[in-house]
Short mmCIF file of all heavy atoms in Angstrom, two decimals:
data_model
loop_
_atom_site.label_atom_id
_atom_site.label_comp_id
_atom_site.label_asym_id
_atom_site.label_seq_id
_atom_site.Cartn_x
_atom_site.Cartn_y
_atom_site.Cartn_z
N ILE A 1362 -86.58 -81.28 72.44
CA ILE A 1362 -86.37 -81.16 71.00
C ILE A 1362 -86.55 -82.52 70.32
O ILE A 1362 -87.20 -82.64 69.28
CB ILE A 1362 -84.97 -80.60 70.70
CG1 ILE A 1362 -84.87 -79.14 71.16
CG2 ILE A 1362 -84.63 -80.72 69.22
CD1 ILE A 1362 -83.49 -78.54 71.03
N ILE A 1363 -85.98 -83.55 70.92
CA ILE A 1363 -86.04 -84.89 70.33
C ILE A 1363 -87.47 -85.43 70.35
O ILE A 1363 -87.95 -86.02 69.37
CB ILE A 1363 -85.08 -85.84 71.06
CG1 ILE A 1363 -83.63 -85.42 70.77
CG2 ILE A 1363 -85.30 -87.28 70.62
CD1 ILE A 1363 -82.61 -86.13 71.61
N ILE A 1364 -88.17 -85.23 71.47
CA ILE A 1364 -89.56 -85.67 71.55
C ILE A 1364 -90.40 -84.96 70.49
O ILE A 1364 -91.23 -85.57 69.81
CB ILE A 1364 -90.14 -85.38 72.95
CG1 ILE A 1364 -89.43 -86.24 74.02
CG2 ILE A 1364 -91.64 -85.64 72.98
CD1 ILE A 1364 -89.66 -87.72 73.88
N ALA A 1365 -90.19 -83.63 70.35
CA ALA A 1365 -90.94 -82.85 69.36
C ALA A 1365 -90.62 -83.31 67.94
O ALA A 1365 -91.51 -83.39 67.09
CB ALA A 1365 -90.63 -81.37 69.52
N PHE A 1366 -89.36 -83.64 67.70
CA PHE A 1366 -88.96 -84.10 66.37
C PHE A 1366 -89.62 -85.44 66.04
O PHE A 1366 -90.14 -85.63 64.93
CB PHE A 1366 -87.43 -84.24 66.32
CG PHE A 1366 -86.90 -84.71 64.99
CD1 PHE A 1366 -87.08 -83.97 63.86
CD2 PHE A 1366 -86.21 -85.92 64.90
CE1 PHE A 1366 -86.59 -84.40 62.62
CE2 PHE A 1366 -85.72 -86.37 63.68
CZ PHE A 1366 -85.92 -85.60 62.54
N GLY A 1367 -89.62 -86.36 66.99
CA GLY A 1367 -90.27 -87.65 66.78
C GLY A 1367 -91.76 -87.48 66.54
O GLY A 1367 -92.34 -88.14 65.66
N PHE A 1368 -92.38 -86.60 67.30
CA PHE A 1368 -93.82 -86.33 67.15
C PHE A 1368 -94.11 -85.75 65.77
O PHE A 1368 -95.07 -86.15 65.10
CB PHE A 1368 -94.27 -85.38 68.25
CG PHE A 1368 -95.73 -85.01 68.18
CD1 PHE A 1368 -96.70 -85.87 68.65
CD2 PHE A 1368 -96.13 -83.78 67.66
CE1 PHE A 1368 -98.05 -85.54 68.59
CE2 PHE A 1368 -97.46 -83.44 67.59
CZ PHE A 1368 -98.43 -84.32 68.06
N ALA A 1369 -93.26 -84.80 65.34
CA ALA A 1369 -93.47 -84.16 64.04
C ALA A 1369 -93.35 -85.17 62.90
O ALA A 1369 -94.16 -85.16 61.96
CB ALA A 1369 -92.45 -83.03 63.85
N LEU A 1370 -92.36 -86.06 62.96
CA LEU A 1370 -92.20 -87.07 61.91
C LEU A 1370 -93.39 -88.03 61.89
O LEU A 1370 -93.86 -88.42 60.82
CB LEU A 1370 -90.91 -87.86 62.13
CG LEU A 1370 -89.59 -87.19 61.75
CD1 LEU A 1370 -88.44 -88.17 61.91
CD2 LEU A 1370 -89.64 -86.68 60.30
N ALA A 1371 -93.89 -88.38 63.07
CA ALA A 1371 -95.05 -89.26 63.14
C ALA A 1371 -96.27 -88.60 62.51
O ALA A 1371 -97.04 -89.24 61.78
CB ALA A 1371 -95.34 -89.63 64.60
N VAL A 1372 -96.44 -87.31 62.78
CA VAL A 1372 -97.58 -86.56 62.22
C VAL A 1372 -97.44 -86.46 60.70
O VAL A 1372 -98.42 -86.63 59.96
CB VAL A 1372 -97.67 -85.16 62.85
CG1 VAL A 1372 -98.69 -84.29 62.10
CG2 VAL A 1372 -98.07 -85.27 64.31
N LEU A 1373 -96.24 -86.16 60.21
CA LEU A 1373 -96.02 -86.06 58.77
C LEU A 1373 -96.30 -87.38 58.07
O LEU A 1373 -96.92 -87.41 56.99
CB LEU A 1373 -94.58 -85.60 58.49
CG LEU A 1373 -94.26 -84.14 58.83
CD1 LEU A 1373 -92.77 -83.88 58.66
CD2 LEU A 1373 -95.07 -83.20 57.95
N TYR A 1374 -95.83 -88.47 58.67
CA TYR A 1374 -96.10 -89.78 58.10
C TYR A 1374 -97.60 -90.06 58.07
O TYR A 1374 -98.14 -90.51 57.05
CB TYR A 1374 -95.38 -90.87 58.91
CG TYR A 1374 -95.73 -92.27 58.44
CD1 TYR A 1374 -95.05 -92.87 57.40
CD2 TYR A 1374 -96.77 -92.98 59.05
CE1 TYR A 1374 -95.37 -94.13 56.96
CE2 TYR A 1374 -97.10 -94.25 58.62
CZ TYR A 1374 -96.40 -94.83 57.57
OH TYR A 1374 -96.75 -96.08 57.14
N GLY A 1375 -98.27 -89.79 59.20
CA GLY A 1375 -99.71 -90.03 59.26
C GLY A 1375 -100.47 -89.20 58.24
O GLY A 1375 -101.41 -89.69 57.61
N GLY A 1376 -100.05 -87.95 58.07
CA GLY A 1376 -100.71 -87.08 57.09
C GLY A 1376 -100.53 -87.58 55.67
O GLY A 1376 -101.47 -87.55 54.87
N ARG A 1377 -99.33 -88.04 55.37
CA ARG A 1377 -99.06 -88.56 54.02
C ARG A 1377 -99.89 -89.81 53.75
O ARG A 1377 -100.48 -89.96 52.67
CB ARG A 1377 -97.58 -88.87 53.87
CG ARG A 1377 -97.21 -89.50 52.53
CD ARG A 1377 -95.72 -89.70 52.39
NE ARG A 1377 -95.39 -90.43 51.19
CZ ARG A 1377 -95.37 -89.92 49.97
NH1 ARG A 1377 -95.68 -88.66 49.79
NH2 ARG A 1377 -95.05 -90.66 48.92
N MET A 1378 -99.92 -90.72 54.72
CA MET A 1378 -100.69 -91.95 54.54
C MET A 1378 -102.19 -91.66 54.49
O MET A 1378 -102.92 -92.31 53.74
CB MET A 1378 -100.39 -92.92 55.68
CG MET A 1378 -98.97 -93.49 55.65
SD MET A 1378 -98.64 -94.45 54.14
CE MET A 1378 -99.73 -95.85 54.41
N ALA A 1379 -102.64 -90.69 55.26
CA ALA A 1379 -104.06 -90.32 55.23
C ALA A 1379 -104.44 -89.80 53.85
O ALA A 1379 -105.53 -90.09 53.33
CB ALA A 1379 -104.34 -89.26 56.29
N TYR A 1380 -103.53 -89.05 53.22
CA TYR A 1380 -103.78 -88.56 51.86
C TYR A 1380 -103.84 -89.71 50.87
O TYR A 1380 -104.73 -89.78 50.02
CB TYR A 1380 -102.68 -87.58 51.47
CG TYR A 1380 -102.72 -87.21 50.00
CD1 TYR A 1380 -103.67 -86.32 49.51
CD2 TYR A 1380 -101.80 -87.78 49.10
CE1 TYR A 1380 -103.70 -86.00 48.15
CE2 TYR A 1380 -101.83 -87.46 47.75
CZ TYR A 1380 -102.78 -86.57 47.29
OH TYR A 1380 -102.82 -86.26 45.96
N LYS A 1381 -102.89 -90.65 50.97
CA LYS A 1381 -102.86 -91.79 50.06
C LYS A 1381 -104.09 -92.66 50.23
O LYS A 1381 -104.60 -93.24 49.26
CB LYS A 1381 -101.61 -92.63 50.32
CG LYS A 1381 -100.31 -91.95 49.91
CD LYS A 1381 -99.10 -92.82 50.19
CE LYS A 1381 -99.10 -94.06 49.31
NZ LYS A 1381 -97.86 -94.86 49.51
N TRP A 1382 -104.60 -92.75 51.45
CA TRP A 1382 -105.79 -93.57 51.71
C TRP A 1382 -107.08 -92.77 51.56
O TRP A 1382 -108.15 -93.25 51.87
CB TRP A 1382 -105.70 -94.15 53.12
CG TRP A 1382 -104.72 -95.28 53.24
CD1 TRP A 1382 -103.84 -95.72 52.29
CD2 TRP A 1382 -104.51 -96.11 54.38
NE1 TRP A 1382 -103.10 -96.77 52.77
CE2 TRP A 1382 -103.49 -97.03 54.05
CE3 TRP A 1382 -105.09 -96.16 55.65
CZ2 TRP A 1382 -103.03 -97.99 54.95
CZ3 TRP A 1382 -104.63 -97.11 56.54
CH2 TRP A 1382 -103.62 -98.02 56.20
N LYS A 1383 -106.92 -91.50 51.12
CA LYS A 1383 -108.07 -90.62 50.90
C LYS A 1383 -108.92 -90.46 52.16
O LYS A 1383 -110.15 -90.49 52.12
CB LYS A 1383 -108.91 -91.13 49.73
CG LYS A 1383 -108.19 -91.06 48.40
CD LYS A 1383 -109.13 -91.23 47.22
CE LYS A 1383 -108.37 -91.04 45.91
NZ LYS A 1383 -107.82 -89.69 45.75
N MET A 1384 -108.24 -90.29 53.29
CA MET A 1384 -108.91 -90.01 54.55
C MET A 1384 -108.98 -88.50 54.73
O MET A 1384 -108.09 -87.76 54.30
CB MET A 1384 -108.14 -90.64 55.72
CG MET A 1384 -108.06 -92.16 55.63
SD MET A 1384 -106.89 -92.89 56.81
CE MET A 1384 -107.74 -92.62 58.36
N SER A 1385 -110.04 -88.02 55.34
CA SER A 1385 -110.26 -86.59 55.52
C SER A 1385 -109.14 -85.96 56.35
O SER A 1385 -108.90 -86.37 57.50
CB SER A 1385 -111.60 -86.35 56.23
OG SER A 1385 -111.70 -85.02 56.68
N LEU A 1386 -108.46 -84.96 55.79
CA LEU A 1386 -107.39 -84.30 56.52
C LEU A 1386 -107.96 -83.46 57.66
O LEU A 1386 -107.31 -83.29 58.71
CB LEU A 1386 -106.57 -83.42 55.58
CG LEU A 1386 -105.74 -84.18 54.53
CD1 LEU A 1386 -104.90 -83.22 53.71
CD2 LEU A 1386 -104.82 -85.21 55.21
N ASP A 1387 -109.17 -82.91 57.46
CA ASP A 1387 -109.82 -82.18 58.56
C ASP A 1387 -110.13 -83.14 59.70
O ASP A 1387 -109.95 -82.81 60.87
CB ASP A 1387 -111.13 -81.53 58.07
CG ASP A 1387 -110.87 -80.35 57.15
OD1 ASP A 1387 -109.76 -79.76 57.24
OD2 ASP A 1387 -111.76 -80.00 56.36
N GLY A 1388 -110.60 -84.34 59.34
CA GLY A 1388 -110.86 -85.35 60.36
C GLY A 1388 -109.59 -85.77 61.07
O GLY A 1388 -109.58 -85.98 62.30
N MET A 1389 -108.50 -85.89 60.31
CA MET A 1389 -107.22 -86.25 60.91
C MET A 1389 -106.72 -85.16 61.86
O MET A 1389 -106.06 -85.45 62.86
CB MET A 1389 -106.19 -86.51 59.82
CG MET A 1389 -106.43 -87.78 59.02
SD MET A 1389 -106.26 -89.28 60.03
CE MET A 1389 -104.49 -89.28 60.33
N THR A 1390 -107.05 -83.91 61.55
CA THR A 1390 -106.70 -82.82 62.46
C THR A 1390 -107.42 -82.96 63.78
O THR A 1390 -106.84 -82.74 64.85
CB THR A 1390 -107.03 -81.45 61.81
OG1 THR A 1390 -106.32 -81.31 60.58
CG2 THR A 1390 -106.65 -80.31 62.75
N ASP A 1391 -108.70 -83.33 63.72
CA ASP A 1391 -109.46 -83.58 64.94
C ASP A 1391 -108.80 -84.69 65.76
O ASP A 1391 -108.67 -84.60 66.99
CB ASP A 1391 -110.91 -83.99 64.61
CG ASP A 1391 -111.73 -82.83 64.07
OD1 ASP A 1391 -111.29 -81.68 64.23
OD2 ASP A 1391 -112.79 -83.08 63.48
N VAL A 1392 -108.41 -85.75 65.07
CA VAL A 1392 -107.76 -86.88 65.74
C VAL A 1392 -106.46 -86.43 66.40
O VAL A 1392 -106.16 -86.80 67.54
CB VAL A 1392 -107.48 -88.01 64.73
CG1 VAL A 1392 -106.56 -89.08 65.34
CG2 VAL A 1392 -108.78 -88.65 64.27
N LEU A 1393 -105.68 -85.63 65.68
CA LEU A 1393 -104.39 -85.16 66.20
C LEU A 1393 -104.57 -84.33 67.48
O LEU A 1393 -103.87 -84.53 68.47
CB LEU A 1393 -103.67 -84.34 65.14
CG LEU A 1393 -102.32 -83.73 65.54
CD1 LEU A 1393 -101.32 -84.81 65.90
CD2 LEU A 1393 -101.78 -82.85 64.41
N ILE A 1394 -105.53 -83.43 67.43
CA ILE A 1394 -105.75 -82.54 68.59
C ILE A 1394 -106.23 -83.34 69.80
O ILE A 1394 -105.66 -83.25 70.90
CB ILE A 1394 -106.76 -81.44 68.24
CG1 ILE A 1394 -106.17 -80.50 67.17
CG2 ILE A 1394 -107.15 -80.65 69.49
CD1 ILE A 1394 -107.14 -79.48 66.63
N TRP A 1395 -107.29 -84.14 69.59
CA TRP A 1395 -107.83 -84.91 70.70
C TRP A 1395 -106.82 -85.94 71.22
O TRP A 1395 -106.65 -86.13 72.42
CB TRP A 1395 -109.11 -85.63 70.27
CG TRP A 1395 -110.32 -84.75 70.17
CD1 TRP A 1395 -110.88 -84.26 69.02
CD2 TRP A 1395 -111.11 -84.26 71.26
NE1 TRP A 1395 -111.97 -83.49 69.32
CE2 TRP A 1395 -112.14 -83.47 70.68
CE3 TRP A 1395 -111.05 -84.39 72.63
CZ2 TRP A 1395 -113.11 -82.84 71.46
CZ3 TRP A 1395 -112.02 -83.76 73.41
CH2 TRP A 1395 -113.02 -82.99 72.83
N GLY A 1396 -106.13 -86.60 70.31
CA GLY A 1396 -105.16 -87.62 70.70
C GLY A 1396 -103.99 -87.04 71.47
O GLY A 1396 -103.52 -87.64 72.44
N THR A 1397 -103.53 -85.86 71.05
CA THR A 1397 -102.40 -85.22 71.73
C THR A 1397 -102.77 -84.80 73.15
O THR A 1397 -102.03 -85.07 74.11
CB THR A 1397 -101.92 -83.99 70.94
OG1 THR A 1397 -101.52 -84.40 69.62
CG2 THR A 1397 -100.75 -83.33 71.64
N VAL A 1398 -103.92 -84.16 73.28
CA VAL A 1398 -104.36 -83.68 74.60
C VAL A 1398 -104.55 -84.85 75.56
O VAL A 1398 -104.01 -84.86 76.68
CB VAL A 1398 -105.67 -82.87 74.48
CG1 VAL A 1398 -106.22 -82.55 75.87
CG2 VAL A 1398 -105.42 -81.58 73.70
#
């Protein structure tokens, strides 16, 4: 649970910053999937 919670917060932070920096959210999804695996 704790590992999943930390991972979720990291993803939410990354998604928010990606939006502020106008980075492609679809591209960030690719990064998330490949990086996690």
Side-chain angles (χ1 to χ4, degrees):
I1362 292 175
I1363 292 170
I1364 294 295
F1366 180 62
F1368 179 79
L1370 283 186
V1372 170
L1373 289 173
Y1374 174 85
R1377 176 176 174 78
M1378 291 299 292
Y1380 170 76
K1381 291 180 67 175
W1382 286 7
K1383 294 194 175 297
M1384 298 169 70
S1385 167
L1386 292 183
D1387 288 337
M1389 289 295 290
T1390 301
D1391 289 344
V1392 169
L1393 178 62
I1394 294 173
W1395 284 103
T1397 300
V1398 172

